[in-house]
Amino acid sequence: AENEPSWETPCTELLVYVSSPDCDGFPSLDSKESYNLSVSKGSMLLSAETVWGALRGLETFSQLVGRDENGTYYINETVIVDFPRFPHRGLLLDTSRHYLPLKAILETLDVMAYNKFNVFHWHIVDDPSFPYESSTFPELSKKGAFNAMTHVYTANDVRTVIEYARLRGIRVVAEFDTPGHTLSWGPGAPGLLTPCYMGKAPSGAYGPINPILNSTYQFVASLFQEVSTVFPDFFLHLGGDEVDFTCWKSNPEIRAFMMEMGLGEDYKKLESFYIQRLLDIISSLGKGYIVWQEVFDNDVKLRPDTIIHVWKENARQYLNEMANVTRAGYQALLSAPWYLNRISYGQDWIEAYKVEPLNFKGSPEQKALVMGGEACMWGEYVDVTNLTPRLW
Amino acid sequence: SSPTMGRAMGLAGLLLGLVVVPAVLVSTSLRHGAPRTEAEAEPSGWELAAGAVPEDSLWPLPQRVSTYPRQLQLAPSRFQLVHGAGSSAGPGCGLLQDAFRRYYEYMFGHSWRRTRGRRPLAARAEPELLQLQVVIEARDPGCDRHPHLTSSEAYHLTVTEPVAILKASEVWGALRGLETFSQLVHEDDYGSFLVNESEINDFPRFAHRGVLLDTSRHYLPLKSILTNLDAMAFNKFNVLHWHIVDDQSFPYQSISFPELSDKGAYSSNLIYSPTDVHLVIEYARLRGIRVIPEFDTPGHTQSWGKGQKDLLTPCYKGGRPTGSFGPVNPVWNTTYDFMTVFFKEISSVFPDEFIHLGGDEVDFSCWKTNPEVKEFMKKQGFGTDYAKLESYYIQHILDIVSSYNKGQMVWQEVFDHKAQLKPDTVVQVWMANNYAHELSSVTGAGFTAVLSAPWYLDYISYGQDWKKYYSVEPLNFPGSEKQKKLLIGGEACLWGEFVDATNLTPRLWPRASAVAERLWSSSNVTNLEDAYKRLANHRCRMLRRGIAAEPVFVGYCAHEAR
């Protein structure tokens, strides 16, 4: 037809069609990220159900555009139908072992978008430092940050991260890991951590959160009340990993409590006691939760919609754990083979690539419980000087 | 074992000053990251703070250090680095003038108190240190010369009021002393600059302390190389071994053979022009760093063949050339004609008395297929021993380079395959397997050696691998006193297969610092706990000076990288 644009006519528009936009909403685990892309003579169309799908499609489109030797931009006739295999595709950053300036986090979010990651798992506090500025408990960062003036995330910083992520279709799942990994909480919250004992007297050292005091649960409830408001995602990561029982065992009040409650010598039951109360608090705040695998391994009573985060890597044993978790009916996230902080010489991306998350014995229903996974960049040896080249 | 984290939290200002001791905390378990045993070995940052001493900041540790409790103040607006009376160097010594400015910046750069400001609100009682006077004692200070293997890098530093004195035989020692002095100056909680009265007598244990950079596997922009030279100077390294070309690319722009880089570089902008090369050499010289270029042959030369026809050996199969090429062709006269002209240029472009000729990993398979080569082997009576052919080639190149009055460095294979070396040829030992034995052989045969085998920093691994580089004792090989003297030093190698400007600095630093101290400091400086303290401080200092060195372990620096 005479109105048909010639093939040499430069394409001028990529039309983006979104059926149920929700531009001002937040992405969630259930968000649809599928999109269709069609590039043909005379028209380029990107269609998606949601804005999240449109974002994914824009990224793909930008990857299709080429440039020839003369510098002319071109794009091939293309038809793409795309959707993610797994809905939870995350990246963990650790801002406690080393503080990461805001710029570094935002840069990471950019690169995550280039790679269609959609969850930023912010392991924001831990033993070494507490950079999160809490409005309810300002002493936590005042006394717990590496430097309370400079090595902190203000409320504004946190808002900036959440919005920057949202604009890229990335959820921000914050992790406030308890009851272990909490040494930095101690200075700003006296009485929160368990005092360790050497014989009859306190040694001066502290251990995990003290699970036997009411004040603990008041504190935790208040803190998570704030955290639930600050972080809009439905899920919070509650940690629960690597709880060292030595300090609890040394404390006479805790030993007395164990006897009173008939828990015997099984400190896993005490951990369970704490975690269950924590989960109740979180649920009452209307949030869902993700926990590290120990919480499941130690037989804590969990709600059916708990997500278990599988991280222990021991000669491919993680696949067994995935099978166990899903067989018990819980959703699972895989990180074990993707600890990117464990560097090695050569093209180690190949090992990460070869992982097949569903390579375990289980029914299709079980396998459908695998929500996805997360690449983890723990911060013991990582800060802004080497984060980007180590991660990408 | 959980540390006392309590009250000291948040206390950033320390006696140690400019550098804040990182808060290294032993957590209950670090299995999410570092293995448990590693965590327990580290001292708690807070306990360190109270007992911090000035030496906690020195890297590499000088041979003899005495510091005293008495402190002196420095006022940035008044303090000066000057030539002392009786120095053979004066304002005409560009190298020292540049160094004075540079070190002033390093010490006070981040301070806004450099211009005359208000009188101090609460003047400290300590006396003021007004100057550091630099006195060069040799008649020829060396200001306009290039450093060489036998240059004196010794210095004597006395810090006392009203002026500190830095004495050195040559400017090279003064550079080392300036670095040390800048490591002694620290800030107190209020931002005042202080230095403890001290007396330091220092000199390097080994004369050859190098870093190898590979600009063939990945091109490294000039800025990257210059930044690296800065970092080297902070660590008292004194040799840049520039592995400039290899199989993958030929970025060196040759005046005699422009086609080499025209056809052999990755692309026309990824080259080092003569100006670039001069810049690197001069930038290095001003920091007391020698630049030893390596033009590795006869292997590792694929990129040479792109711009120089009939240089590489054509490989054969079934009696016909396959189209691929092997090492440099050792049987053609034209090869040696080329090398004669090429190395004449290299000898004049690079002022160091040594050139590295490579000679490693020669793959004989292509030679074995080539009829002319096979014919030559017969004529020469080499039988089937291609190592003899390799030696024949290398000896020829050694002669060529000798005729230009240059000394030669070679990789160990050249020695292992029994080529006839010149008496002053330096053999670089790189093969990790039983390198102590190789050191014995090389030095036993009377040749000087440089050690790299345990210091291949491109071989990254998880955790604090600096400790294993630090724990190497280079003289731990069977041999006489005379033999051990032939080990003149070592080089940390950062091969470029997986390295370019995006990750070079954090990958090299501060890991290479471990090698720096091993090569400079006394053999009895081996305590890992003490080294950790000083290395962590040193790393924060490098950050402050613009080197994006990666963290040693958990913690923080007062001035983080941007």
Side-chain angles (χ1 to χ4, degrees), chain A residues 127 143 151 241-242 383, chain B residues 9 27 31-32 539 553 560:
Chain A
D127 282 327
K143 301 251 166 67
H151 291 55
D241 60 311
E242 299 182 311
D383 74 0
Chain B
M9 229 357 150
S27 84
R31 223 166 339 108
H32 253 176
R539 182 255 170 178
F553 193 47
E560 297 285 7

Side-chain angles (χ1 to χ4, degrees), chain A residues 97-98 127-128 143 146-147 151 181 205-206 241-242 311 339 341 343 345 378 380-381 383 385-386 389-390, chain B residues 2 9 25 27 30-33 38 458-460 462 502 506 539 548-557 560:
Chain A
R97 275 57 179 265
H98 284 97
D127 282 327
K143 301 251 166 67
F146 280 137
N147 179 316
H151 291 55
H181 286 281
Y206 294 87
D241 60 311
E242 299 182 311
W311 70 272
Y339 265 37
N341 56 308
I343 57 172
Y345 178 70
W378 294 102
E380 282 82 356
Y381 303 101
D383 74 0
T385 59
N386 61 355
R390 188 160 291 197
Chain B
S2 320
M9 229 357 150
L25 293 167
S27 84
L30 287 174
R31 223 166 339 108
H32 253 176
E38 188 154 25
D458 54 332
Y459 286 158
I460 57 171
Y462 180 66
T502 60
R539 182 255 170 178
E550 66 177 10
V552 182
F553 193 47
V554 173
Y556 74 108
C557 296
E560 297 285 7

Side-chain angles (χ1 to χ4, degrees), chain B residues 282-508:
Chain B
E282 179 60 7
Y283 199 90
R285 189 187 78 84
L286 291 175
R287 287 153 182 75
I289 298 171
R290 301 164 54 200
V291 177
I292 301 182
E294 177 184 348
F295 286 91
D296 191 353
T297 70
H300 287 279
T301 44
Q302 289 298 298
S303 66
W304 299 52
K306 304 266 187 329
Q308 184 70 14
K309 290 289 157 265
D310 302 329
L311 177 67
L312 305 183
T313 313
C315 312
Y316 275 68
K317 191 166 177 176
R320 322 169 55 175
T322 63
S324 22
F325 299 88
V328 169
N329 194 320
V331 319
W332 290 334
N333 286 332
T334 48
T335 293
Y336 302 103
D337 295 338
F338 167 84
M339 292 296 175
T340 302
V341 178
F342 185 76
F343 278 105
K344 178 162 192 209
E345 173 184 319
I346 302 306
S347 301
S348 84
V349 169
F350 292 91
D352 197 80
E353 40 178 353
F354 281 86
I355 299 183
H356 200 303
L357 303 175
D360 61 313
E361 301 182 310
V362 184
D363 185 350
F364 298 149
S365 37
C366 182
W367 279 352
K368 289 179 178 170
T369 67
N370 182 294
E372 283 180 275
V373 172
K374 285 195 289 204
E375 180 62 41
F376 187 82
M377 288 287 286
K378 261 215 298 235
K379 271 216 321 248
Q380 296 284 321
F382 291 157
T384 51
D385 190 356
Y386 282 81
K388 293 207 167 91
L389 181 59
E390 177 196 278
S391 297
Y392 168 90
Y393 166 84
I394 280 279
Q395 273 155 213
H396 213 138
I397 304 301
L398 293 176
D399 284 339
I400 291 171
V401 172
S402 274
S403 75
Y404 297 126
N405 283 322
K406 292 291 191 183
Q408 307 98 35
M409 270 185 81
V410 292
W411 294 109
Q412 69 179 76
E413 287 96 317
V414 175
F415 168 81
D416 296 342
H417 296 167
K418 305 202 186 359
Q420 201 101 297
L421 305 175
K422 308 277 175 236
D424 58 353
T425 307
V426 179
V427 178
Q428 189 161 7
V429 174
W430 69 272
M431 293 179 165
N433 204 2
N434 212 353
Y435 66 84
H437 180 255
E438 180 73 5
L439 286 176
S440 296
S441 305
V442 170
T443 56
F447 294 106
T448 2
V450 159
L451 180 61
S452 282
W455 292 321
Y456 264 37
L457 301 196
D458 54 332
Y459 286 158
I460 57 171
S461 59
Y462 180 66
Q464 294 194 53
D465 58 354
W466 70 270
K467 292 183 183 178
K468 90 175 163 214
Y469 302 132
Y470 192 78
S471 304
V472 171
E473 174 38 65
L475 297 186
N476 250 6
F477 65 91
S480 64
E481 278 304 301
K482 200 162 143 218
Q483 269 177 267
K484 306 237 169 162
K485 282 202 172 57
L486 290 174
L487 179 57
I488 54 170
E491 291 186 0
C493 298
L494 193 69
W495 294 104
E497 283 83 352
F498 303 100
V499 175
D500 72 2
T502 60
N503 61 355
L504 184 138
T505 302
R507 189 160 290 196
L508 194 52

Side-chain angles (χ1 to χ4, degrees), chain A residues 330-360:
Chain A
Y330 298 106
Q331 294 161 298
L333 285 179
L334 181 60
S335 279
W338 292 324
Y339 265 37
L340 304 191
N341 56 308
R342 300 199 139 260
I343 57 172
S344 59
Y345 178 70
Q347 295 195 55
D348 54 353
W349 68 271
I350 296 178
E351 283 314 299
Y353 192 78
K354 287 201 212 158
V355 171
E356 175 35 69
L358 300 186
N359 239 11
F360 59 88

